[in-house]
Amino acid sequence: MDDGSTQNFNSLRVQHNDALGPFKGGIRFGPGVSLDEVKALAMWMTWKTALVGVPFGGAKGGIICDPKRFSKRELEALSRGYVQQFVEYIGPDKDIPAPDMYTNAQIMAWMLDEYEKLTGHHVPGAFTGKPVELGGIRTRESATGYGGAVVVQQVARLLKMKPKSTSVAVQGFGNVGHSAAQFLFDAGYKIVALSDSQGAIYNKKGLNPAAAMTCKIEKGKIAECYFAGSVVNGSKSGVISNDELLELDVDILIPAALENQITAKNAEKIKAKAVVELANGPTTPEADKILQQKKTTVVPDVLANAGGVVASYFEWVQNSYGYYWTDEEVYDKLSDILVKAFGRVLGKSGEHKADMRTGAYLLAVGRVAKAIELRGGI
Ligand code: NAD
């Protein structure tokens, strides 16, 4: 620590399954990080990578600590300490960590540097989510939102919705929600509602996500951005609550904030024709059943927010052969993978007369099981 003392922090790495390729998953820092949470998230990664067909398994890691208390130097020491503990388990063909909650590109840079010092050679593919200067991918920040927008466009096509007349509400105007809203706005969709942790705004005629972000940065919260001429051209937006946003009469609802937002309490009141889960776990199992009965199309998180892990896969591929693609190439390849995955999930759920979540899990678990079987493991 900066005062010269030494403190120990419990660190975790869970490797769930590597039948399809090296383990892959983020490292989160936080006081509430627990082994059970990290185990569950590692399993989620196994299904997500298998579903979209990138050659990885599933893992997750974490350090139980309060990262907001640390100076930059202490954070660096903590990040390097993590690698010192786990160096023999990490590597581009073993286990590839990435950023997650309260970790970022700078932390990946420290971790990569420590890993290369300990192993004695350059291995940029040992971590993804690195700074661009160290072999990171420029589009990583927007990849999850971009992938979400690709999935929304597939849903719109499926439900025969035209972009101009398709209204979209986005819960959570952070990294993922903001980029998804922006890509959809650019594709001609009507973004009618946006929210952050402190409230929401709604305008039937549509909002401009770029103007909304400028205003949110200036005012500190989206609910302050309702006045005429701010985020809509000339007309006023209304301030609504986060609960009201979820229950709006819109075509597509995108939860992009937290888990457990659509529950047994509000599922009956959800009017959207489709819910595209960009957050992890926004719908509880009870709510899922209700939405199914109401014939709401729900695109599960493992498919809808897989854009981020696909971009990480591209980063790893580029690192391994030292050749870097243009942003356009990355977006095209990402779109191709997600459109195909969407089609396969739809096919599987149709085959089993099941919802898309069941279809997605049938595919993902089936692929992992087949790989284990081929390896002689069953
Ligand atoms: P973020 O912290 O950048 O943004 C989260 C946003 O949600 C913030 O604007 C916050 O104000 C808002 N929010 C918090 N509580 C809210 C509430 N009750 N109602 C409305 N808004 C609320 O996080 P992010 O990276 O955009 O991640 C969002 C979700 O997407 C998480 O569930 C995350 O696990 C998931 N996800 C992210 C990625 C990625 O690449 N970042 C990849 C896959 C999944």
Side-chain angles (χ1 to χ4, degrees), residues 39-49 280-281 301-302 361:
K39 275 183 181 171
L41 292 166
M43 181 175 73
W44 225 328
M45 286 301 295
T46 301
W47 309 141
K48 201 178 284 190
T49 53
N280 279 318
D301 45 14
V302 279
Y361 278 103

Side-chain angles (χ1 to χ4, degrees), residues 35-217:
L35 182 57
D36 277 348
E37 178 194 52
V38 175
K39 275 183 181 171
L41 292 166
M43 181 175 73
W44 225 328
M45 286 301 295
T46 301
W47 309 141
K48 201 178 284 190
T49 53
L51 178 66
V52 290
V54 294
F56 289 138
K60 205 79 179 188
I63 304 185
I64 304 167
C65 64
D66 183 0
K68 289 181 182 163
R69 272 184 38 219
F70 298 131
S71 69
K72 192 175 172 195
R73 200 208 60 82
E74 288 171 337
L75 208 51
E76 178 178 345
L78 190 73
S79 306
R80 290 185 185 276
Y82 186 89
V83 176
Q84 288 155 14
Q85 293 307 310
F86 290 110
V87 63
E88 62 178 296
Y89 304 103
I90 294 171
D93 301 314
K94 271 191 198 173
D95 185 350
I96 309 136
D100 198 76
M101 270 168 50
Y102 291 108
T103 52
N104 56 21
Q106 174 62 75
I107 289 175
M108 293 306 112
W110 289 325
M111 288 188 170
L112 176 71
D113 186 66
E114 190 64 24
Y115 182 80
E116 292 184 340
K117 271 188 187 142
L118 293 169
T119 56
H121 61 132
H122 279 289
V123 216
F127 292 83
T128 60
K130 301 177 293 290
V132 175
E133 294 81 353
L134 298 182
I137 194 162
R138 222 183 349 262
T139 44
R140 175 62 190 87
E141 288 273 295
S142 56
T144 306
Y146 178 79
V150 167
V151 167
V152 167
Q153 284 165 299
Q154 294 307 301
V155 175
R157 185 174 298 176
L158 178 72
L159 302 179
K160 302 193 171 30
M161 296 171 178
K162 297 251 179 318
K164 259 193 177 161
S165 51
T166 302
S167 54
V168 181
V170 182
Q171 184 204 35
F173 199 48
N175 174 19
V176 173
H178 171 234
S179 41
Q182 189 63 53
F183 283 118
L184 287 170
F185 177 82
D186 294 342
Y189 287 78
K190 214 158 51 150
I191 310 299
V192 295
L194 297 167
S195 69
D196 61 22
S197 57
Q198 300 178 76
I201 52 169
Y202 172 65
N203 188 296
K204 221 168 126 179
K205 290 186 185 160
L207 303 157
N208 178 337
M213 185 47 93
T214 307
C215 176
K216 178 178 154 66
I217 291 168

Side-chain angles (χ1 to χ4, degrees), residues 265-335:
K265 266 191 179 165
N266 62 4
E268 202 60 63
K269 296 184 212 147
I270 304 283
K271 296 181 197 69
K273 296 176 191 72
V275 175
V276 179
E277 296 182 338
L278 290 203
N280 279 318
T283 313
T284 66
E286 300 77 29
D288 221 10
K289 278 192 200 127
I290 299 171
L291 293 178
Q292 220 179 316
Q293 280 157 10
K294 282 164 52 108
K295 306 233 176 305
T296 309
T297 302
V298 178
V299 185
D301 45 14
V302 279
L303 173 62
N305 69 28
V309 79
V310 175
S312 291
Y313 163 60
F314 292 160
E315 180 175 340
W316 175 82
V317 170
Q318 294 182 67
N319 293 155
S320 68
Y321 67 104
Y323 179 77
Y324 292 82
W325 308 328
T326 62
D327 292 356
E328 285 69 32
E329 281 176 286
V330 171
Y331 283 136
D332 283 353
K333 289 182 204 301
L334 179 57
S335 175

